[in-house]
Amino acid sequence: MADSTHLETPQSFVSDSSSPGAEKPGITVLETPGQPKYGFVDYRAAASPDSHKKVPPMVIQIIEGLTTLKRIPQDGSNLNRSLPLVLLYDNKGLELFDRITYLPEYYLTNCEIEVLQSNIREIAAEIPDGSDVIELGCGALRKTQLLLKELDQVRSGITYYAIDVMPSPLHKSLGELAQRFNNISFVALCGTYDEVLHHFKKDVRPKTLLWLGSSIGNYSAADACDFLANIAEHALAPNDAVIVGFDRKKDPGVIMDAYHDSQKITDDFELNVLCHANSVVADAVAVLRGDKTPDPSLDGLFDVSKFRYTGDYEQVLGRHSAYLQALEDVVINWPAELLPIVKSICGSDQNLLIKRGELIFIESSYKFGPAVPEILARGCGLLHCAEWSDSRDYYTLNLFRKPPATMSPLPATMNGIESIEYVGKGAPALQHVHKLQALVKHPKTLRQPSTIPRISEWKHLWSVWDVLTLEIISRDHILDRPIDLRHPFIFYLGHLPAFADIHMSKAESAPLTEPAIYAEWFERGIDPNMQDPSKCHSHSTPPSEWPSIDNILAYRDRVRARIIGWLELHERNNGKNTPADTARHLWMSFEHEAMHIETMLYMVLQMDPACTKSPISITFNPSDGSVPNVNWISFSGGTDIKIGLANDSESALGNAALPRDYHVFGWDNESPQTSVDIQPFSVRTQPITNGEYLAFVSEKLKCCADPSVVAEKVVPKSWTKLASGEYGVRTVVGNPSITTSEASLWPVFVSQTQAAAYASWCGKRLPSEAEWTHAARTYHLAMALSQIADSAANPYDSSNQESVDKYLDRLLTAHGICPSELEWPPYDMLVPENANIDFAHWHPLPEATDKTIG
């Protein structure tokens, strides 16, 4: 018989409850004589002391799902009734699912075990000593124990938290594990994700969350992103990790067999939802009635024999959906005790008719393409740091970490992952595609998310800047000057706020932020032509001694407060009567700060790595020998091609009210709009990689009398010589070898002179500004339009010799749009989410090695 002792809640979880009057759940340590202890915390709503006073949330969800027809799955086309997914996992459901994992058709478990067994040392190496390992939906722990065994041997101070919805399996599993692994502490957390994750807290101990199996597949991509983003924001500290399993897209027959096994155990598993629903409802009715013994046969809702399990697989979306289908007309008789609740939910307390053949949605299981983990990471504020796969590439485990700041802000809507199939093809998500036709016909009908950077976007930008200047660069090195034609780092701490303050003061005819002398000291940096007034503006005269860091940061904070104050007023007025000149200067300051992140990164990379601090732990993947598939696309060009912006005349707008419907600010070299003639040309769609450029460098070094002189000219500053003699790529998270790591597939960063030399060596040239602008805007718009339903049957094919601009003209004409009258939308509105265009990882990302365009 177990003894129990009430102790405090475990460190990684707060014990307060959002339920008024609810007691704080504590940790109960269960101990059977002769066996080790493990902790148990019951977070279930039914476990709270006041649960007898109200109908459990699960019953309300059952009623809502049955009485409401809604589009579910969300990316489906039919309206269905539904039942909560959690009903799958009572004691019987967990036992049935465990049996499913041993079926020959159910490939997932064996694939995951293979991944764990083959990579267990690498995975365990990502979990530091003194960590909390928290598993979402632990089940029978058949797979997790492989990782726990390794951690028990190579790590110390590990506490393993198992989250699941039913107490009995938790007690069984953790009682056994606590006996086997003496170097790990065990705590069971009983409840749904929502019930348990509410109690997470961060900054206590390092955390690694495990979301194994294919649980993420129960969520659409957008919902999965929301779920992970919520965890990242509220539960994870910088460098904490999440390991997630992804079931890959594969032969539809393999997937259908896995969910429709010959022994029909999956049928029993899905139909058990009805049995569990009957028990949940009967329990609630018994409490309301004051009975001590619930009777599911009397108070339950379903006759299970009148339903069957069915499912389908949508190959394009990679989604298997499970339903329960009525075999005949079924009448749901609501227990009298629930009638007031039923009426309050659906407006009627009449019995519910489910017609023969009608479907009740239970769950979706999404399968994912190889690009999804990276896109998902960018959408939820995490970094995709490592991936491990089985031998058939059916299944992958993916390591994500929370960085101190992300280079890309979280999108307001999950543009790019709602429809995973289309993301990988380089087009916007389907929910945005239907707007494109209106956009190209009438650009003002589709406003940008914000003509002025929002407060959240400013704060995100500042978070990146602060990590770079105050964490990666230590205070001991803030006066360093790694590049002669740049001021020391401390200058830039004052330069950014001074630049913004000068421009806001100018636009508003208002005083400078104090101390006003900072505007003079920090206005402009160093320029090669700064001594020649015919080529360059006058530049700042720096002080004989720089102000203290604390004084500069206080000045920075006052300027930031000024910006926030202006934006708050703008938002309170809903953008009415916003002066265009002020908005322009604010945009200029925002882009100026974003550009200087690149400046600072470039300067930091010229420092001794021992003088910098990496913002996050990164594992670089080894090179697999892949090379990018070179793909060239052609453009016809033409005469009188418009370059620049037609509607952004600074002098014409002045300080008049900013147009509220649609406006795009440009740089001074984008106005006035000009016309150019462009000859036919072709462009390679992928950047040149470090590996390709290394071949150029190697040949140049072989063919010269003095390699040191040639190396000075052709070896980019973004490279460094490693102790092994190989070249590595400089990053703030390490210097991976170009020869032996994934860095061989990263885009190379070179000077204009080096780029031109490489192009010449290949028998090519660099594109002109006009060619590049024309190619970028026509390509992205053409690829986006090609995904509209009536264009999708005619995708662009670079092998058929049709130029991109002619293909675009053909698409526009098919949509009733005259190409010569097109008012161009900003092409960056149509850049797909998976485009390799930023530093989402604080380092470059490998180029694609498949034959997709983009």
Side-chain angles (χ1 to χ4, degrees):
M1 186 173 180
D3 297 325
S4 65
T5 307
H6 198 68
L7 300 179
E8 293 183 0
T9 306
Q11 285 186 335
S12 283
F13 297 84
V14 293
S15 58
D16 61 310
S17 172
S18 59
S19 302
E23 289 184 359
K24 296 180 178 180
I27 179 170
T28 301
V29 178
L30 301 180
E31 180 181 15
T32 301
Q35 294 185 2
K37 300 177 180 179
Y38 65 92
F40 181 86
V41 188
D42 198 338
Y43 285 112
R44 294 174 298 169
S48 68
D50 65 344
S51 60
H52 66 284
K53 301 176 184 177
K54 56 187 178 182
V55 176
M58 185 61 62
V59 174
I60 293 175
Q61 292 176 35
I62 291 171
I63 296 171
E64 288 176 338
L66 290 175
T67 58
T68 306
L69 289 172
K70 60 183 178 179
R71 193 175 304 283
I72 187 167
Q74 293 175 349
D75 49 12
S77 56
N78 297 321
L79 299 177
N80 293 307
R81 305 183 196 277
S82 63
L83 285 169
L85 173 68
V86 73
L87 288 175
L88 286 167
Y89 301 108
D90 62 352
N91 290 337
K92 182 179 179 183
L94 289 168
E95 183 270 328
L96 286 167
F97 184 73
D98 189 50
R99 289 173 60 191
I100 289 171
T101 64
Y102 287 90
L103 293 171
E105 299 99 324
Y106 195 76
Y107 59 86
L108 266 164
T109 303
N110 286 335
C111 288
E112 187 172 13
I113 289 174
E114 179 190 338
V115 174
L116 285 166
Q117 290 176 334
S118 302
N119 304 281
I120 197 65
R121 290 185 178 179
E122 290 181 39
I123 297 171
E126 299 287 351
I127 301 174
D129 290 336
S131 288
D132 292 332
V133 178
I134 304 161
E135 183 165 11
L136 309 180
C138 61
L141 294 168
R142 176 182 166 197
K143 300 160 295 187
T144 310
Q145 61 182 307
L146 298 172
L147 177 58
L148 294 175
K149 179 180 179 182
E150 182 72 13
L151 293 175
D152 189 60
Q153 295 172 353
V154 303
R155 288 284 178 263
S156 62
I158 299 293
T159 298
Y160 171 74
Y161 295 91
I163 300 175
D164 223 321
V165 293
M166 299 302 295
S168 296
L170 279 171
H171 287 311
K172 180 177 184 297
S173 297
L174 263 68
E176 295 174 357
L177 291 175
Q179 189 172 11
R180 291 177 54 193
F181 303 123
N182 296 324
N183 296 323
I184 299 176
S185 300
F186 291 88
V187 180
L189 305 173
C190 189
T192 65
Y193 291 167
D194 289 340
E195 289 169 334
V196 176
L197 296 184
H198 170 72
H199 300 275
F200 268 44
K201 62 181 179 179
K202 51 188 174 182
D203 299 325
V204 178
R205 279 160 44 101
K207 286 189 186 68
T208 298
L209 272 66
L210 306 178
W211 204 15
L212 306 181
S214 60
S215 296
I216 194 173
N218 291 137
Y219 294 76
S220 69
D223 288 342
C225 187
D226 289 343
F227 180 77
L228 288 173
N230 184 58
I231 289 178
E233 180 179 0
H234 297 107
L236 301 184
N239 227 31
D240 283 350
V242 186
I243 298 176
V244 184
F246 285 84
D247 190 8
R248 285 278 184 89
K249 288 184 176 181
K250 56 187 70 66
D251 182 346
V254 172
I255 293 170
M256 286 298 288
D257 287 346
Y259 291 98
H260 301 269
D261 63 277
S262 58
Q263 298 180 44
K264 296 191 178 300
I265 297 176
T266 306
D267 294 50
D268 295 339
F269 173 65
E270 300 288 346
L271 285 165
N272 184 61
V273 164
L274 303 181
C275 298
H276 191 186
N278 285 343
S279 296
V280 170
V281 170
D283 288 346
V285 170
V287 169
L288 293 171
R289 189 183 293 150
D291 292 345
K292 293 184 178 180
T293 305
D295 187 350
S297 63
L298 177 65
D299 296 319
L301 303 179
F302 299 101
D303 181 345
V304 179
S305 66
K306 295 181 179 180
F307 292 86
R308 74 178 184 97
Y309 161 63
T310 185
D312 57 49
Y313 181 65
E314 173 54 61
Q315 186 172 359
V316 172
L317 296 175
R319 184 198 66 224
H320 180 274
S321 297
Y323 305 91
L324 298 180
Q325 186 177 45
L327 297 172
E328 58 185 75
D329 286 355
V330 176
V331 176
I332 302 295
N333 296 298
W334 304 111
E337 290 77 9
L338 295 182
L339 290 178
I341 300 296
V342 173
K343 188 170 184 178
S344 69
I345 290 174
C346 63
S348 170
D349 58 5
Q350 298 299 308
N351 292 334
L352 177 68
L353 172 64
I354 299 177
K355 294 183 178 180
R356 177 184 178 184
E358 190 172 346
L359 300 175
I360 300 175
F361 173 81
I362 304 300
E363 64 171 335
S364 285
S365 297
Y366 286 86
K367 314 305 169 187
F368 301 103
V372 172
E374 178 59 37
I375 299 169
L376 193 66
R378 296 191 191 194
C380 62
L382 297 171
L383 301 188
H384 183 215
C385 297
E387 181 175 86
W388 303 280
S389 176
D390 70 294
S391 57
R392 293 182 292 179
D393 208 24
Y394 273 14
Y395 180 87
T396 63
L397 285 177
N398 296 263
L399 175 71
F400 302 90
R401 287 197 184 276
K402 180 177 179 176
T406 57
M407 286 292 186
S408 300
L410 301 187
T413 58
M414 283 318 303
N415 175 14
I417 68 166
E418 187 70 49
S419 174
I420 292 302
E421 174 69 16
Y422 291 91
V423 169
K425 294 181 178 179
L430 285 181
Q431 77 270 30
H432 291 273
V433 168
H434 73 278
K435 298 180 181 178
L436 290 172
Q437 191 169 21
L439 170 63
V440 293
K441 285 183 176 180
H442 307 290
K444 294 182 180 181
T445 63
L446 182 61
R447 295 184 60 191
Q448 288 183 287
S450 174
T451 301
I452 299 172
R454 293 166 291 196
I455 292 175
S456 61
E457 291 168 326
W458 274 101
K459 289 183 175 180
H460 172 265
L461 188 65
W462 289 333
S463 72
V464 176
W465 179 255
D466 292 346
V467 167
L468 181 55
T469 55
L470 300 176
E471 295 184 26
I472 294 177
I473 305 167
S474 69
R475 287 200 173 203
D476 293 341
H477 293 279
I478 202 69
L479 292 174
D480 287 4
R481 186 181 178 182
I483 300 176
D484 290 339
L485 284 175
R486 292 286 179 187
H487 279 307
F489 291 120
I490 194 171
F491 167 80
Y492 296 94
L493 288 182
H495 175 55
L496 269 66
F499 182 94
D501 195 55
I502 289 168
H503 284 276
M504 289 197 70
S505 296
K506 178 182 176 182
E508 296 181 316
S509 300
L512 293 164
T513 300
E514 294 295 337
I517 189 64
Y518 279 19
E520 181 179 331
W521 289 345
F522 292 109
E523 180 178 8
R524 291 194 176 98
I526 298 176
D527 188 278
N529 299 309
M530 60 188 293
Q531 302 302 326
D532 185 348
S534 68
K535 296 182 179 179
C536 187
H537 294 293
S538 60
H539 274 58
S540 306
T541 301
S544 57
E545 182 177 343
W546 294 105
S548 71
I549 295 176
D550 289 338
N551 285 342
I552 296 174
L553 294 181
Y555 169 72
R556 175 206 68 182
D557 291 343
R558 288 192 291 273
V559 174
R560 288 181 177 180
R562 179 180 187 175
I563 293 171
I564 295 296
W566 188 93
L567 290 169
E568 288 175 342
L569 179 62
H570 168 74
E571 291 180 0
R572 283 198 300 271
N573 294 334
N574 198 26
K576 294 179 181 178
N577 301 317
T578 297
D581 199 38
T582 308
R584 180 185 302 279
H585 282 80
L586 201 64
W587 247 122
M588 191 186 309
S589 300
F590 184 87
E591 292 192 327
H592 174 259
E593 189 148 348
M595 287 195 307
H596 267 302
I597 289 176
E598 181 181 10
T599 301
M600 292 295 282
L601 275 172
Y602 185 74
M603 292 175 64
V604 167
L605 296 182
Q606 308 309 308
M607 297 177 67
D608 180 349
C611 299
T612 63
K613 178 184 176 182
S614 173
I616 194 167
S617 299
I618 291 289
T619 301
F620 297 109
N621 295 320
S623 172
D624 61 2
S626 298
V627 295
N629 286 316
V630 177
N631 186 35
W632 292 79
I633 53 177
S634 63
F635 296 84
S636 297
T639 59
D640 198 29
I641 292 176
K642 300 293 189 295
I643 301 294
L645 297 174
N647 65 340
D648 187 44
S649 170
E650 186 170 356
S651 59
L653 276 175
N655 216 30
L658 181 71
R660 294 189 63 213
D661 52 359
Y662 183 82
H663 189 78
V664 178
F665 288 116
W667 288 95
D668 52 6
N669 65 346
E670 295 180 278
S671 295
Q673 189 177 69
T674 59
S675 297
V676 296
D677 295 342
I678 299 177
Q679 298 298 316
F681 66 98
S682 296
V683 172
R684 175 173 148 160
T685 59
Q686 290 178 308
I688 306 302
T689 64
N690 285 301
E692 292 173 296
Y693 192 81
L694 180 60
F696 163 68
V697 171
S698 300
E699 181 166 315
K700 288 295 183 181
L701 294 178
K702 287 179 183 177
C703 305
C704 67
D706 190 346
S708 63
V709 174
V710 174
E712 183 67 25
K713 293 181 178 180
V714 299
V715 175
K717 295 292 186 182
S718 59
W719 289 7
T720 185
K721 205 66 174 291
L722 304 177
S724 62
E726 302 170 338
Y727 284 108
V729 180
R730 297 176 183 267
T731 80
V732 295
V733 290
N735 303 326
S737 165
I738 297 172
T739 306
T740 61
S741 81
E742 65 176 77
S744 64
L745 288 172
W746 292 356
V748 67
F749 288 78
V750 295
S751 69
Q752 176 86 3
T753 301
Q754 291 166 339
Y758 176 85
S760 177
W761 179 70
C762 295
K764 309 293 183 182
R765 65 174 176 84
L766 301 182
S768 66
E769 180 182 357
E771 289 171 331
W772 173 258
T773 302
H774 178 67
R777 69 181 187 179
T778 54
Y779 174 79
H780 287 301
L781 183 55
M783 295 305 103
L785 277 174
S786 70
Q787 295 302 317
I788 295 178
D790 49 359
S791 301
N794 187 20
Y796 177 74
D797 182 1
S798 60
S799 64
N800 67 7
Q801 305 303 311
E802 183 178 23
S803 65
V804 173
D805 36 14
K806 295 302 181 186
Y807 171 69
L808 175 60
D809 287 352
R810 185 157 55 84
L811 286 181
L812 292 171
T813 302
H815 287 282
I817 303 164
C818 178
S820 63
E821 297 176 0
L822 174 66
E823 184 177 343
W824 285 94
Y827 71 84
D828 55 353
M829 290 181 68
L830 306 174
V831 175
E833 286 291 323
N834 63 331
N836 193 354
I837 56 174
D838 64 12
F839 268 53
H841 288 227
W842 291 90
H843 66 71
L845 295 177
E847 281 302 308
T849 56
D850 59 16
K851 293 185 179 180
T852 58
I853 298 177

